[in-house]
Every structure is written in structure tokens, then in C-alpha cells.
């Protein structure tokens, strides 16, 4: 199933419970603008590579549009559109004053030199600078992009529009970035996992956790969950997986990953395949990599009782249904990974006020916002007797829908 079919299927499930008219469904699902551009790049060896870049701006009823930029070989129209709609619901679930957007370039960054990555980024900004901006649409990191890429985006945008660091978030701390932005998505995943356990009257201390993906989100989630007393017994990246029933030493693994750029062959654990991580014998499964990894083929083999969606769109609807039948509780992406965009919002606020917050303030404001989103979603799930995912969609779609109706067309 495509990413867009997955996102639409969850939208329709919530819209059915809400009793939304078909006209309203079409209005809310249709993106405001889709931009697709040529990104022509001169490679270091002199040959020309022609890449395709995307920016989909889905909805701006609640504020400027917001969402990451993904540089990955699987980026296409369908995926970017799906992820843009998820951003509209996500910003609404945590009630920050943004709409939703997403962008990307179909490229394998592992095959680019640093110079090529910089040129591709700047060329992309040349093509889209007039449709983005601090009051229009604010990009941020996603898979394959990082603080350095955001610094180049800011610098290139400012060549056209003048000083304006709020035009992009996730920047380096030394260049108008926010303390706590880099850790925010992973830390939010850990905080929400703990909140879910508290709500279930279970102790997170000693809980066994599997995390698929050890990039920015997976590694910070692992670090904070360990600090909270949980045990990460399985993890992986695109090159392979690791299992250690006693708990992997995450501080060591982070050091190993910094040096080798992979978790593969880490001496403190046994090697398994990347996909075996999904069916590991654990209490909590955290997909923190690409979309669509939990599907009809493997959902019956998942042994965790909780799935925390750190990745965007990791669960296909068939798997979601199987999890519901099997009483596996899923904390959906549009809440579980909303820590990143929430701290992006704090960065944007700080840039606009020219006032820097301390890390403690960033963390405590983030915790407050995530707790409010969690409580609201749980209340809707209990009242309407629906899953946490359908409840989160009801909350997000409801807030976007009300803003749309109040403003008028
Ligand atoms: N790419 C992240 C997401 O999917 C962060 C977006 C942002 O900070 O704007 O939520």
C-alpha cells in the first residue's frame, strides 16, 4: 500500500467517526499547493546529475505551514503528499500554530560528497525560495537532512530575502538554532512512552525495548529511555540489527555509531537482521526509520505489547487492524514523534523574538505540550471507544476543520 493510501485510510476512519461530509473530506484532504522542481547538480567529477525536488503545502488554516525536508532515494510525489497531510494533523494534535507541509529530494545522500550535498541544497532553495518563508512555510530536518543542511537553507534563503533565521528550523545551535531541538523527537518519544506506561499503571523501569533505526530519532529515544530505567535489548540500522537480552550499552553504542556510522558489528551484542528487530521478544517496539515497515506480512509476529511510532507512517492499515485485534496498543506517529516539530516551534519563536531559551525551559515546555496532547487523545479514545490513532486523527482533523470553517473560504 502506498504512503498516501495509508494516510487516507486513517483519515477516512476518523472522518467516519466524526460524521464529516464528503465535501469537507475533499476540502481537508486536498493539498493547497504542490511544487515539483528540477534540481540540476554539477557533480565533483564534472558530470551533471538531474534530481527532482518536492514541496507539498497541505493546509494553512491554523498558521504558516511546517514540515521537514527528506533527502532519500524513495522520496516521490505520493510520499511527500502523505507526509505533508500528517504534518497538518500533527501540528494540530499538539496545538501549535502551524499548518502542514513536507518536502524532499529523491537522492541517496550517502553517494554525495559534502560539496555536492551543499550544492544540491542551495539549488533546491533557489527553486522554492519564493514559496517558503517564516510566515508561509518553514522547512526543518527529516531523514537524510540535518542541522548543517538547515544552515545552508537559511544562508541561501537570506541571499534572496535578507536576514531571517526563522525561515527554517533545526539549525545548528551556533547559528540561531535552539538548544534541545536535535534531541527533541527522540526525547519526546521517550517521554510519551513513559506517560503511556504511567497511564497503563505499568513501570517503565526494566521494560524491554526494540528500536528499529539508530539515526537522530532512534538514538536519542534509546538514550532517554535508558535514563528512565528501560532496557534497549534490540536495535538496528539499514546495515543490520543487534540483540542483547541484558540490555545494550547505549552510551557505548552511540560512541561506536559516531565512529563507524553504523551499529553493525558492535561488539556488545549479537547480530540479527534489520527486520528481525520488528518481531523481537520485547515489551515495546519503536519503529524509528522508514514508513510501511509494519504490514500484513509481519503484524501477527510482533511480540511487543506497545508500538510507539517514532517514524512517520510506519504501520499499514492491515497491520493496525491486526494490532487492535491482538490488543497491541499503538501510540500513533502524529502524537508520538511530535516532539520534533514542537521544539521547531520554540526555535521559530526564539528567532522571532531574538531571545534564547535555556535547555530546561525547552524541555519543560515540550513536556507540558506533549502531556496535553496525550491527555486529549486518551480522553477522545475513551469517550468515542476508538483507538489512540483514530482519536489523534479526530483531534487533528477537528482542529483544522474548525479553523477552516471559522476563517471562511
Ligand atoms: N520532520 C519532522 C517531522 O516529521 C520535524 C518537522 C519540523 O520540525 O518542522 O515531524
Amino acid at each position: 500500500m502506498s504512503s498516501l493510501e495509508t494516510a487516507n485510510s486513517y483519515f477516512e476512519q476518523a472522518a467516519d467517526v466524526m460524521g464529516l461530509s464528503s465535501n469537507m473530506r475533499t476540502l481537508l484532504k486536498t493539498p493547497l499547493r504542490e511544487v515539483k522542481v528540477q534540481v540540476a547538480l554539477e557533480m565533483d567529477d564534472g558530470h551533471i546529475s538531474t534530481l527532482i525536488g518536492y514541496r507539498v503545502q497541505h493546509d494553512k488554516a491554523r498558521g504558516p505551514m511546517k514540515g521537514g525536508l527528506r533527502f532519500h532515494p524513495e522520496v516521490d510525489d505520493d510520499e511527500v503528499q502523505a507526509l505533508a497531510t500528517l504534518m497538518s494533523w500533527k501540528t494540530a494534535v499538539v496545538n501549535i500554530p502551524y499548518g502542514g507541509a513536507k518536502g524532499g529530494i529523491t537522492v541517496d545522500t550517502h553517494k554525495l560528497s559534502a560539496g555536492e550535498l551543499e550544492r544540491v541544497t542551495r539549488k533546491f532553495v533557489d527553486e522554492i525560495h519564493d514559496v517558503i518563508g517564516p510566515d508561509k512555510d518553514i522547512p526543518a530536518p527529516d531523514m537524510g537532512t540535518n542541522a548543517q543542511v538547515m544552515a545552508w537553507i537559511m544562508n541561501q534563503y537570506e541571499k534572496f530575502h535578507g536576514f531571517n533565521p526563522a525561515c527554517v528550523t533545526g539549525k545548528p545551535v551556533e547559528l540561531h538554532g535552539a538548544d534541545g531541538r536535535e534531541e527533541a523527537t527522540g526525547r519526546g518519544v521517550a517521554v510519551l512512552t513513559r506517560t503511556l506506561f504511567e497511564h497503563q499503571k505499568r513501570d517503565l523501569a526494566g521494560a524491554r525495548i526494540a528500536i528499529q533505526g539508530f539515526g537522530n530519532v532512534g538514538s536519542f529515544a534509546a538514550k532517554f529511555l535508558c535514563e528512565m530505567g528501560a532496557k534497549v535489548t534490540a536495535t538496528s540500522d539499514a546495515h543490520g540489527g543487534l540483540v542483547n537480552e541484558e540490555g545494550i550499552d547505549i552510551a557505548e553504542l552511540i560512541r561506536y555509531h559516531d565512529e563507524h556510522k553504523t551499529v553493525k558489528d558492535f561488539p556488545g551484542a549479537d547480530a540479527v537482521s534489520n527486520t528481525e528487530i520488528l518481531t523481537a521478544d520485547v515489551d515495546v517496539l519503536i519503529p524509528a526509520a522508514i514508513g510501511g515497515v509494519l504490514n500484513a506480512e509481519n503484524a501477527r509476529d510482533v511480540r511487543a505489547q506497545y508500538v510507539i511510532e517514532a517514524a512517520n507512517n510506519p504501520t499499514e492499515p492491515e497491520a493496525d487492524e491486526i494490532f487492535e485485534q491482538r490488543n497491541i496498543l499503538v501510540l500513533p506517529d502524529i502524537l508520538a514523534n511530535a516532539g520534533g516539530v514542537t521544539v521547531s516551534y520554540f526555535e521559530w519563536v526564539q528567532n522571532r523574538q531574538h531571545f534564547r531559551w535555556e535547555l530546561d525551559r525547552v524541555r519543560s515546555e515540550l513536556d507540558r505540550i506533549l502531556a496535553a496532547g496525550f491527555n486529549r487523545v486518551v480522553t477522545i479514545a475513551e469517550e468515542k471507544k476508538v483507538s489512540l490513532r483514530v482519536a489523534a486523527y479526530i483531534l487533528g482533523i477537528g482542529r483544522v476543520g474548525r479553523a477552516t470553517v471559522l476563517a471562511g473560504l
Side-chain angles (χ1 to χ4, degrees):
M1 184 178 269
S2 78
S3 321
L4 193 55
E5 283 165 346
T6 297
N8 281 341
S9 154
Y10 294 137
F11 175 93
E12 294 297 340
Q13 284 179 35
D16 286 345
V17 180
M18 297 166 84
L20 277 191
S21 70
S22 78
N23 292 346
M24 199 62 190
R25 291 180 198 219
T26 307
L27 175 65
L28 291 176
K29 276 196 298 189
T30 309
L32 285 180
R33 180 194 263 150
E34 293 177 66
V35 179
K36 184 171 177 179
V37 295
Q38 179 201 72
V39 185
L41 166 72
E42 188 177 340
M43 306 298 278
D44 292 346
D45 66 5
H47 86 263
I48 292 173
S49 179
T50 306
L51 305 173
I52 302 294
Y54 304 86
R55 189 73 186 169
V56 174
Q57 299 176 331
H58 171 249
D59 194 280
K60 61 173 184 185
R62 302 182 62 262
M65 294 168 284
K66 187 86 191 78
L69 275 184
R70 180 172 286 201
F71 290 1
H72 191 270
E74 281 169 26
V75 165
D76 61 17
D77 310 64
D78 178 282
E79 185 188 69
V80 179
Q81 193 186 323
L83 297 176
T85 65
L86 289 190
M87 287 309 303
S88 298
W89 318 138
K90 190 186 301 185
T91 52
V93 164
V94 284
N95 212 4
I96 56 177
Y98 287 138
K102 199 83 174 195
I105 300 179
T106 317
V107 64
D108 185 350
T109 52
H110 298 106
K111 296 189 179 142
L112 298 181
S113 68
E116 289 165 345
L117 181 62
E118 176 172 353
R119 290 200 293 283
V120 89
T121 303
R122 290 186 185 276
K123 193 68 191 284
F124 183 51
V125 176
D126 289 348
E127 302 304 330
I128 65 161
H129 72 87
D130 52 350
V131 298
I132 60 171
D135 290 314
K136 284 190 207 168
D137 175 6
I138 307 116
D142 198 87
M143 280 171 65
T145 57
N146 56 21
Q148 172 63 81
V149 172
M150 301 306 121
W152 291 325
I153 292 175
M154 182 190 88
N155 181 265
Q156 196 66 11
Y157 179 86
E158 289 181 340
K159 287 180 184 165
F160 295 96
H161 303 276
F163 176 76
N164 217 329
C167 69
V168 60
T169 60
K171 300 177 293 292
V173 176
E174 304 85 344
L175 195 70
H176 306 284
D179 274 319
R181 173 62 186 88
E182 204 190 356
E183 69 180 30
T185 313
R187 185 171 171 278
V189 166
V191 166
L192 285 165
T193 305
R194 182 176 59 193
T195 309
L196 180 66
F197 266 61
E198 279 162 12
H199 179 261
Q200 297 272 301
K201 308 217 173 341
R202 286 191 53 160
D203 198 356
L204 187 60
R208 291 163 310 148
I209 310 221
I211 302 180
Q212 189 199 37
F214 206 73
N216 169 272
V217 180
S219 60
F220 275 112
K223 172 182 164 325
F224 286 106
L225 284 162
C226 287
E227 284 176 18
M228 292 169 186
K231 264 200 313 196
V232 177
T233 54
T235 190
S236 68
D237 64 18
H239 307 286
L242 303 172
V243 172
N244 179 345
E245 290 305 328
E246 302 306 311
I248 298 169
D249 183 337
I250 292 300
E252 264 310 307
L253 182 60
I254 290 174
R255 270 193 290 278
Y256 180 91
H257 187 267
D258 283 347
E259 191 184 331
H260 298 88
K261 307 290 168 233
T262 176
V263 300
K264 196 172 181 300
D265 298 330
F266 175 64
D270 298 325
V272 290
S273 77
N274 184 325
T275 45
E276 277 174 85
I277 297 299
L278 300 170
T279 54
D281 184 14
V282 289
D283 304 300
V284 181
L285 171 62
I286 305 185
I290 52 172
V293 293
L294 295 166
N295 46 48
E297 275 95 77
N298 58 13
R300 281 180 216 289
D301 302 324
V302 167
R303 286 191 274 176
Q305 283 162 277
Y306 302 93
V307 175
I308 314 289
E309 293 185 340
N312 286 313
N313 241 353
T315 309
E316 296 199 343
E318 293 95 333
D320 204 52
E321 216 180 300
I322 295 169
F323 291 153
E324 215 171 332
Q325 287 158 9
R326 296 185 55 211
N327 282 325
I328 295 173
L329 202 57
V330 180
L331 195 70
D333 48 7
I334 56 173
L335 172 60
N337 68 33
V341 71
T342 303
V343 178
S344 274
Y345 166 54
F346 300 159
E347 181 177 331
W348 179 82
V349 167
Q350 291 172 67
N351 290 154
R352 309 202 85 175
Q353 298 186 336
H354 307 281
F355 182 79
R356 184 178 278 280
W357 298 7
E358 298 294 330
L359 179 61
D360 281 355
R361 176 169 180 196
V362 169
R363 286 181 169 173
S364 64
E365 296 271 2
L366 173 61
D367 294 357
R368 185 181 58 75
I369 286 183
L370 293 180
F374 179 88
N375 290 337
R376 201 65 213 112
V377 167
V378 166
T379 305
I380 295 171
E382 285 165 3
E383 273 171 19
K384 300 209 180 287
K385 305 206 179 342
V386 293
S387 67
L388 294 178
R389 186 188 315 277
V390 172
Y393 270 76
I394 290 174
L395 179 59
I397 296 168
R399 283 179 170 156
V400 174
R402 278 191 296 283
T404 306
V405 170
L406 285 167
L409 288 181

